[in-house]
Amino acid sequence: FRERMKVITCRWRELHAKQAQLKTHIEECGRTLKEKDEMRMQALKRAIRERESKMQKQSELLRAKEQLEALRNKHQKLCKRVQKYSVFNKYLEDVVKVSKFEMVREVIARHKTLVRTRKDLLQSHQRQKEMSEQAKVLLDQYMEEKAAEILQYENELVQLQLRFDQAQRDVLYWETRWADLQNTTAKKSQELGTIKLPILNLFQ
């Protein structure tokens, strides 16, 4: 029994040792799995970043291609325009040959100066025209005001003339009345004198 107990004890110890080893192994495996999960997550994040970077680069490449195509189209248009306007360059060179200018740039600079001068003159003319129109408007307003005042004065003059004529008619009327009154007074005085004289004779 003691030998069997020793054997069982030895096996129990071995079992505990194996259990400890197994626990250690499980922990190590857990750490390894955790590290692998972290590495897998990092790899996944890195893959996502790389895919996003790749998509961004593809988008940038697409935009660059579009810009390049736009620049090519613009370049073609500019080339066509240069070909179209090359005749003007030839014309300017001929102008330089027969004029006092020595270079085409001088002709262009002179042309720009003349254009600016013309623009300034047009602006000045426009300002003068606007000022003239404003002055004309003010003059018209002044003339209208003065015409209204003159009309008012003429109406007042007509009213005064009417009052003057009425006053003259009144004067004539009252002068006639005064003459009539004087005549009547003279007649009455004469009649009174005629009556007083017989009364005085009768009294005497």
Side-chain angles (χ1 to χ4, degrees), residues 85-167:
Y85 293 143
S86 60
V87 63
F88 297 107
N89 187 31
K90 182 66 170 57
Y91 174 76
L92 290 174
E93 290 177 353
D94 294 337
V95 169
V96 169
K97 290 179 182 178
V98 298
S99 65
K100 63 180 181 179
F101 299 103
E102 296 180 358
M103 298 180 69
V104 175
R105 288 197 299 272
E106 295 178 357
V107 177
I108 295 173
R110 178 64 177 170
H111 178 264
K112 289 181 179 180
T113 303
L114 292 174
V115 169
R116 284 196 300 269
T117 304
R118 181 176 179 274
K119 184 178 179 181
D120 294 338
L121 289 174
L122 288 175
Q123 290 178 353
S124 177
H125 178 69
Q126 184 66 26
R127 287 195 297 270
Q128 290 179 356
K129 185 178 179 181
E130 291 175 356
M131 292 174 64
S132 176
E133 290 177 354
Q134 291 178 357
K136 184 178 179 181
V137 170
L138 293 175
L139 180 61
D140 292 339
Q141 291 178 355
Y142 179 77
M143 293 294 291
E144 289 177 358
E145 292 176 358
K146 293 305 176 183
E149 291 181 1
I150 291 172
L151 182 62
Q152 183 179 357
Y153 291 147
E154 287 178 352
N155 292 331
E156 292 179 358
L157 182 61
V158 169
Q159 294 293 330
L160 292 173
Q161 185 67 39
L162 292 174
R163 290 175 63 185
F164 178 72
D165 294 340
Q166 185 65 36

Side-chain angles (χ1 to χ4, degrees), residues 13-14 34 44 46 53 62 81-82 100 117 128 138 140 155 170 183 189 191 201:
R13 289 176 182 171
E14 291 176 359
K34 187 176 180 180
L44 182 61
R46 187 164 53 250
S53 177
L62 182 61
R81 186 176 293 179
V82 168
K100 63 180 181 179
T117 304
Q128 290 179 356
L138 293 175
D140 292 339
N155 292 331
D170 292 341
N183 291 329
S189 298
E191 289 177 358
N201 292 329

